[in-house]
């Protein structure tokens, strides 16, 4: 049943989208499963060209846009594996340039007649010097235009070709790889054995830029400035003149930016709901009300459900049970409010709610369309299951083509205040998973207060933007201390601060000792019930960012 619900939701979601790829020059990246595939997407967008990553199993006849060029990614497979994924050969009949990276080069070689015997298994991992070889065919030289004859590249491959496919020539070699870069003599088809998308390849970004701009002739018009107008127009078209939208906001950057876009597009026909679950940060509810409601003018209502959440959390210690309770209670409260809004809209003759806003980002989309199958790691918080199923709402996801840094840039353009744009991520279950063990009102108060001081001091020390995420956790232990002439037996605060780009791996952040001293002093002096502060120096893995 749940699968059917998901499939239906996905379908509704697809139907409600007018594709961005039909509005911009678009490069199609076919993903063969390399850990670097999403980086190709990042690099190309960084040079202002829109691109989309689709699974390598994509049939060209089913594409709903015409790409200006195609890139075949790397892969963890060996091309000689029986179950190795293969490209639809129609890619080469599209009449647009093709670039194969690593496994992609081998796929080109395979399709172009350098059979499997032309590949040999010899792994190579690490830096190499690429020697650029000039060609007599001008188009073949365009890939490395403006690049020094000798440049550092990053290799990471098991197979390599040891025969040139018919009508191809060498345009680059390394000491160990005679065919490190090849190009077709007449057609704009290129293959490179190294990875231009990783920053270790010094000229990697230039190579990708040459491909998309010089070779594919893409306009570099993918900017958040241009996105704003197109997206607002798209939302208006999708929602229609009388449609209304409901969406939850949390004060985080994604839901805030999505809400501001909706406000710009359809004004007060967008109804934002903030559910106060009693485990948000200190003063956060008031701040969100002030910034989203008063400053940004969003039609916002706040539902005070703190007691409901905290009562349900009583006596619960298990982290996953806490998550489930919070997730389910959120759905219950939000659904009730959405029905009230719907009724109000109908009574006042302003139409009916027919869309649900979600702040889905591109990494979630990439993860869910991976040809290796949807990942099981999507957090239950994001997976809102049967939310509002009985209202038959369609999903509207204005950020589904964007990476986090693009969302931030968009937020700034839309006038979202800096402190919201750069806010550290905050988990859906909030402070409930930062109060280890049982979540009581008193424990939440202690954790909140310590967290507030910690963040305030990090901001004062100008470290907030360098740290990816920081928070204070309240540990479920007591330790002995001394205050004045008296023995104390009180609780412990653990400070966590990490640096990360993807939140999948993370390093602990090196906060200068004088700053740590100030934080610890203030917490010990100002927060009742705490007599010890510790600093968490664990990286992820093996630890996770949250303690629960
Ligand atoms: P971990 O603890 O898995 O956290 O290293 C990685 C990132 O995910 C956030 N996180 C959550 N976000 N619901 C959320 O919305 C959750 O249940 C949840 N658990 C962890 C965490 O804050 C970090 O940014």
């Amino acid at each position: 049943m749940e699968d059917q619900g998901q499939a239906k939701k996905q379908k509704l979601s697809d139907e409600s989208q007018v594709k961005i790829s039909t509005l911009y020059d678009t490069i199609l990246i076919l993903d063969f499963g390399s850990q670097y595939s999403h980086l190709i997407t990042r690099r190309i967008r960084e040079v202002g060209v829109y691109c989309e990553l689709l699974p390598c199993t994509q049939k060209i006849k089913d594409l709903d846009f015409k790409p200006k060029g195609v890139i075949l990614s790397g892969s963890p497979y060996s091309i000689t594996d029986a179950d190795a994924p293969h490209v639809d050969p129609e890619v080469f009949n599209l009449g647009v340039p093709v670039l194969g990276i690593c496994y992609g080069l081998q796929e080109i070689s395979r399709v172009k007649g350098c059979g499997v015997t032309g590949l040999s298994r010899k792994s190579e991992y690490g830096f190499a010097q690429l020697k650029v070889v000039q060609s007599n065919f001008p188009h073949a030289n365009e890939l490395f235009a403006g690049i020094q004859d000798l440049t550092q590249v990053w290799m990471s491959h098991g197979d390599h070709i040891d025969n040139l496919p018919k009508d191809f020539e060498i345009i680059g070699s390394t000491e160990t790889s005679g065919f490190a870069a090849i190009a077709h003599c007449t057609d704009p088809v290129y293959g490179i054995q190294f990875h231009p998308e990783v920053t270790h390849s010094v000229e990697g970004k230039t190579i990708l830029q040459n491909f998309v701009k010089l070779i594919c002739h893409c306009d570099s018009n993918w900017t958040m400035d241009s996105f704003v107008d197109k997206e607002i127009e798209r939302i208006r078209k999708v929602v229609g003149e009388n449609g209304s939208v409901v969406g939850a906001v949390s004060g985080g950057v994604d839901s805030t930016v999505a809400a501001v876009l909706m406000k710009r597009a359809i004004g007060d026909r967008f109804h934002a709901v903030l559910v106060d679950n009693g485990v948000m940060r200190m003063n956060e509810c008031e701040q969100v009300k002030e910034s989203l409601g008063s400053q940004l003018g969003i039609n916002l209502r706040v539902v005070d459900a703190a007691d409901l959440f905290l009562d349900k959390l009583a006596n619960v210690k298990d982290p996953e049970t806490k998550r489930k309770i919070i997730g389910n209670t959120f759905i219950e409260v939000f659904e009730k409010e959405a029905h009230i809004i719907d009724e109000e809209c109908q009574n006042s003759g302003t139409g009916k709610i027919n869309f649900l806003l979600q702040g889905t980002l591109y990494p979630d989309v990439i993860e869910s369309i991976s040809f290796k199958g949807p990942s099981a790691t999507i957090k239950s918080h994001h997976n809102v299951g049967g939310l509002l199923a009985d209202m038959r709402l369609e999903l509207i996801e204005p950020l589904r083509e964007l990476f986090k840094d693009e969302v931030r840039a968009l937020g700034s353009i839309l006038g979202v205040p800096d402190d919201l744009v750069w806010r550290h991520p905050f988990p859906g279950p909030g402070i409930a998973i930062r109060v280890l063990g049982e979540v009581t009102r008193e424990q939440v108060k202690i954790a909140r207060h310590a967290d507030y001081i910690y963040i305030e001091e990090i901001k004062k020390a100008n470290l907030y933007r360098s740290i990816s995420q920081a928070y204070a956790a309240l540990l479920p232990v007591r330790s002995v201390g001394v205050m004045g002439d008296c023995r104390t037996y009180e609780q412990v605060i653990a400070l966590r601060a990490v640096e990360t780009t993807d939140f999948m791996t993370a390093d602990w952040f090196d906060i200068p000792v004088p700053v740590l001293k100030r934080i610890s002093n203030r917490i010990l002096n100002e927060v009742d019930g705490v007599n010890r502060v510790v600093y968490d120096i664990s990286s992820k893995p093996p630890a996770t960012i949250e303690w629960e």
Side-chain angles (χ1 to χ4, degrees):
M1 270 312 281
E2 209 173 296
D3 282 355
Q4 275 174 19
Q6 282 296 72
K8 186 170 149 211
K9 204 171 71 178
Q10 182 63 44
K11 187 160 173 285
L12 289 174
S13 160
D14 289 346
E15 280 167 4
S16 68
Q17 306 297 323
V18 176
K19 297 273 302 171
I20 278 276
S21 46
T22 58
L23 306 176
Y24 288 89
D25 284 353
T26 302
I27 295 289
L28 167 64
I29 300 160
L30 290 174
D31 174 27
F32 288 82
S34 156
Q35 56 175 325
Y36 304 133
S37 298
H38 70 285
L39 285 180
I40 308 174
T41 322
R42 288 292 321 114
R43 297 289 165 265
I44 292 178
R45 293 217 189 161
E46 276 164 22
V47 299
V49 172
Y50 184 68
C51 54
E52 282 196 9
L53 186 76
L54 290 178
C56 58
T57 46
Q58 174 70 43
K59 289 279 172 258
I60 295 303
K61 69 174 174 39
D62 297 334
L63 272 183
D64 50 10
F65 65 99
K66 169 93 195 268
K68 296 262 302 192
V70 181
I71 295 180
L72 314 180
S73 82
S75 176
Y77 285 88
S78 161
I79 201 144
T80 54
D81 287 344
D83 59 347
H86 294 306
V87 67
D88 177 357
E90 281 305 307
V91 159
F92 300 97
N93 296 330
L94 265 172
V96 299
V98 179
L99 170 67
I101 295 175
C102 195
Y103 185 93
L105 157 81
Q106 293 151 19
E107 262 301 271
I108 290 175
S109 309
R110 187 188 61 80
V111 174
K112 294 287 177 184
C114 171
V116 178
T117 51
L119 303 165
S120 73
R121 204 156 170 74
K122 188 170 168 200
S123 56
E124 190 182 5
Y125 188 81
F127 293 107
Q129 289 295 323
L130 177 80
K131 188 168 179 308
V132 175
V133 178
Q134 287 300 317
S135 163
N136 291 327
F137 302 102
H139 79 275
N141 293 325
E142 286 181 329
L143 193 63
F144 297 144
I147 287 172
Q148 308 243 327
D149 288 351
L150 209 56
T151 181
Q152 176 186 289
V153 294
W154 180 256
M155 293 285 191
S156 171
H157 60 104
D159 296 331
H160 69 257
I161 60 167
D162 45 26
N163 275 321
L164 259 187
K166 188 167 171 294
D167 296 330
F168 275 75
E169 65 166 14
I170 297 170
I171 54 168
S173 63
T174 66
E175 209 173 289
T176 48
S177 207
F179 306 100
I182 62 172
H184 192 273
C185 297
T186 53
D187 301 339
V189 179
Y190 306 79
I192 50 183
Q193 186 60 75
F194 56 89
H195 288 270
E197 67 276 26
V198 301
T199 47
H200 304 324
S201 290
V202 175
E203 300 277 14
K205 195 161 159 183
T206 312
I207 294 169
L208 289 171
Q209 175 165 302
N210 286 343
F211 179 70
V212 299
K213 290 199 189 167
L214 281 183
I215 296 170
C216 300
H217 306 294
C218 289
D219 267 347
S220 52
N221 54 0
W222 174 249
T223 60
M224 287 303 104
D225 271 318
S226 77
F227 177 80
V228 171
D229 294 339
K230 288 194 167 83
E231 187 57 24
I232 287 176
E233 210 177 294
R234 188 164 72 132
I235 293 170
R236 285 184 183 146
K237 226 186 243 167
V238 168
V239 176
E241 300 232 321
N242 300 313
S244 293
V245 180
V246 68
V249 289
S250 65
V253 60
D254 304 341
S255 66
T256 302
V257 173
V260 176
L261 258 182
M262 295 308 295
K263 156 84 188 166
R264 288 269 183 103
I266 59 166
D268 283 352
R269 283 186 290 136
F270 169 58
H271 302 262
V273 177
L274 172 69
V275 175
D276 181 355
N277 58 11
V279 283
M280 290 166 73
R281 289 176 273 217
M282 193 157 123
N283 303 334
E284 190 158 29
C285 214
E286 292 71 27
Q287 276 167 12
V288 175
K289 228 159 120 179
E290 167 63 26
S291 45
L292 265 67
S294 309
Q295 274 174 264
L296 295 165
I298 290 167
N299 181 8
L300 170 75
R301 59 178 76 196
V302 181
V303 185
D304 179 0
D307 283 334
L308 178 68
F309 279 84
L310 290 168
D311 288 347
K312 286 195 182 193
L313 285 168
N315 301 316
V316 178
K317 290 190 177 153
D318 173 62
E320 280 312 299
T321 313
K322 288 182 189 175
R323 279 195 170 82
K324 282 208 181 85
I325 290 174
I326 292 174
N328 292 339
T329 312
F330 173 83
I331 291 175
E332 193 186 302
V333 173
F334 183 74
E335 276 200 326
K336 203 166 145 199
E337 199 58 31
H339 278 286
I340 295 173
I341 295 172
D342 189 42
E343 246 177 63
E344 285 176 8
C345 287
Q346 293 194 51
N347 289 342
S348 66
T350 51
K352 187 174 177 345
I353 302 285
N354 36 15
F355 285 91
L356 170 66
L357 173 72
Q358 283 210 333
T360 316
L361 300 195
Y362 200 46
D364 301 330
V365 176
I366 291 178
E367 193 171 20
S368 64
I369 59 171
S370 159
F371 86 98
K372 289 177 286 181
S375 160
T377 57
I378 297 176
K379 301 241 159 48
S380 49
H381 170 80
H382 298 297
N383 187 355
V384 284
L387 184 58
L388 299 179
D390 65 324
M391 282 177 78
R392 306 184 61 79
L393 298 187
E394 293 187 38
L395 287 184
I396 185 157
E397 301 172 300
L399 311 179
R400 66 179 271 130
E401 281 92 7
L402 307 187
F403 286 101
K404 190 83 167 187
D405 54 334
E406 292 173 327
V407 173
R408 291 206 160 106
L410 179 61
S412 296
I413 288 170
L414 290 169
V416 176
D418 265 10
D419 62 328
L420 280 180
V421 166
W422 291 102
R423 184 160 247 193
H424 289 175
F426 187 64
I431 284 183
I433 56 166
R434 294 173 174 181
V435 166
L436 277 67
E438 196 187 341
V439 184
T440 63
R441 287 166 176 78
E442 186 51 34
Q443 293 289 78
V444 170
K445 192 172 159 208
I446 295 173
R448 258 186 188 159
H449 192 181
D451 186 73
Y452 183 84
I453 293 171
Y454 181 31
I455 299 298
E456 191 173 62
E457 287 300 327
I458 284 175
K459 284 185 176 164
K460 272 194 211 155
N462 238 338
L463 294 171
Y464 189 77
R465 290 268 284 264
S466 319
I467 297 172
S468 312
Q469 194 170 1
Y471 70 89
L474 180 61
L475 306 190
V477 288
R478 281 172 193 274
S479 77
V480 173
V482 56
M483 194 164 281
D485 292 330
C486 300
R487 176 186 184 274
T488 59
Y489 188 51
E490 291 182 327
Q491 301 196 80
V492 183
I493 283 288
L495 305 175
R496 183 79 164 130
V498 295
E499 259 182 305
T500 172
T501 49
D502 56 9
F503 294 86
M504 308 291 281
T505 61
D507 284 328
W508 59 276
F509 188 88
D510 195 358
I511 297 184
V513 171
V515 182
L516 284 174
K517 267 192 185 157
R518 257 197 315 275
I519 296 164
S520 151
N521 256 338
R522 278 197 60 193
I523 292 177
L524 293 174
N525 278 302
E526 296 174 34
V527 183
D528 288 340
V530 174
N531 68 357
R532 194 174 294 268
V533 176
V534 295
Y535 190 53
D536 182 348
I537 52 167
S538 330
S539 61
K540 173 184 178 178
T544 52
I545 295 172
E546 301 292 343
W547 274 55
E548 282 196 338

